[in-house]
Amino acid sequence: MPRLSEAVKRDQARITDAYHGLMATNPDDREPDAFVWALARYLIVENLALLPALEYHLSSSRERQRRLSDDYDSIHTKLRHMVKYDPSEESFVSALRAIWVDLEPHIREENDGDLEELENKMGLEDSEALGRKYETLREMLQKPYGKDGVPDEETLRDVLDTTKQELMERMGMGGGV
């Protein structure tokens, strides 16, 4: 079973690859749903698995948790904005780049500090347990949508339009982050 940091980094790699693939694709051939869903799913799972672990294990986590929550809100808002554009429009590319402006440093900060510090505080057994939780939550969000894991446009729009609080309540995770 993967450690928490391995599970998070695997998701981050999927999102990074999807972003670069989307940017490299001919504008008329862009299909953003896989990127949108990978990023939306990552944001949800990170809030349910990683943020509580940071809060519990790291004394400096209050400020970092606030910044991660701000990142979530900003990226989520920009993602909702981006999906309103036709992928062949320049506005779509501008909105996609705006997401990356927030997402790239978010990923870098997690990889260069948060995850390593958290792994050092937790130990192998706790990290593997949280890695399982992370993967389970990710799979819960994946299963209804088949092998490719991308929901239809209506479901995707519903997920993007649902607040973090509502998503957590729907998943039975209560109202807190």
Side-chain angles (χ1 to χ4, degrees):
M1 191 47 55
R3 295 177 70 125
L4 176 62
S5 61
E6 293 166 350
V8 171
K9 287 177 182 181
R10 201 170 18 242
D11 252 5
Q12 292 169 341
R14 284 182 191 109
I15 294 163
T16 300
D17 289 347
Y19 169 79
H20 290 297
L22 201 51
M23 290 298 287
T25 301
N26 180 329
D28 293 326
D29 297 330
R30 284 190 190 119
E31 295 187 19
D33 289 351
F35 168 77
V36 170
W37 183 234
L39 181 52
R41 186 180 54 228
Y42 166 78
L43 292 171
I44 294 166
V45 174
E46 181 176 80
N47 269 278
L48 298 175
L50 182 60
L51 286 181
L54 287 171
E55 182 178 356
Y56 182 79
H57 290 282
L58 302 182
S59 60
S60 62
S61 68
R62 288 272 184 230
E63 176 62 23
R64 182 62 181 135
Q65 185 179 9
R66 185 194 59 74
R67 286 192 356 247
L68 285 170
S69 184
D70 289 349
D71 288 352
Y72 173 95
D73 293 339
S74 177
I75 294 167
H76 187 258
T77 298
K78 289 177 179 182
L79 192 57
R80 288 176 50 219
H81 178 74
M82 183 195 77
V83 298
K84 294 177 182 176
Y85 295 111
D86 183 290
S88 64
E89 295 176 6
E90 185 57 36
S91 298
F92 175 87
V93 173
S94 296
L96 182 59
R97 284 187 180 129
I99 291 169
W100 194 247
V101 164
D102 287 351
L103 185 59
E104 192 272 334
H106 170 91
I107 290 171
R108 189 176 354 99
E109 284 182 41
E110 279 186 356
N111 290 330
D112 292 347
D114 296 336
L115 293 172
E116 183 178 337
E117 186 178 354
L118 183 59
E119 293 283 357
N120 290 336
K121 297 281 184 172
M122 286 192 313
L124 180 61
E125 194 173 302
D126 287 343
S127 177
E128 288 178 343
L130 279 171
R132 278 190 300 278
K133 178 181 179 180
Y134 188 97
E135 292 290 330
T136 298
L137 289 167
R138 188 182 172 290
E139 287 302 312
M140 281 174 49
L141 291 168
Q142 183 84 15
K143 283 184 181 176
Y145 309 114
K147 186 177 184 221
D148 292 336
V150 179
D152 59 50
E153 280 188 44
E154 183 179 332
T155 303
L156 190 54
R157 193 172 309 113
D158 184 44
V159 170
L160 292 176
D161 289 342
T162 303
T163 66
K164 179 171 39 175
Q165 189 86 7
E166 290 171 319
L167 280 170
M168 294 176 77
E169 289 171 6
R170 286 182 187 180
M171 293 187 72
M173 303 297 286
V177 174

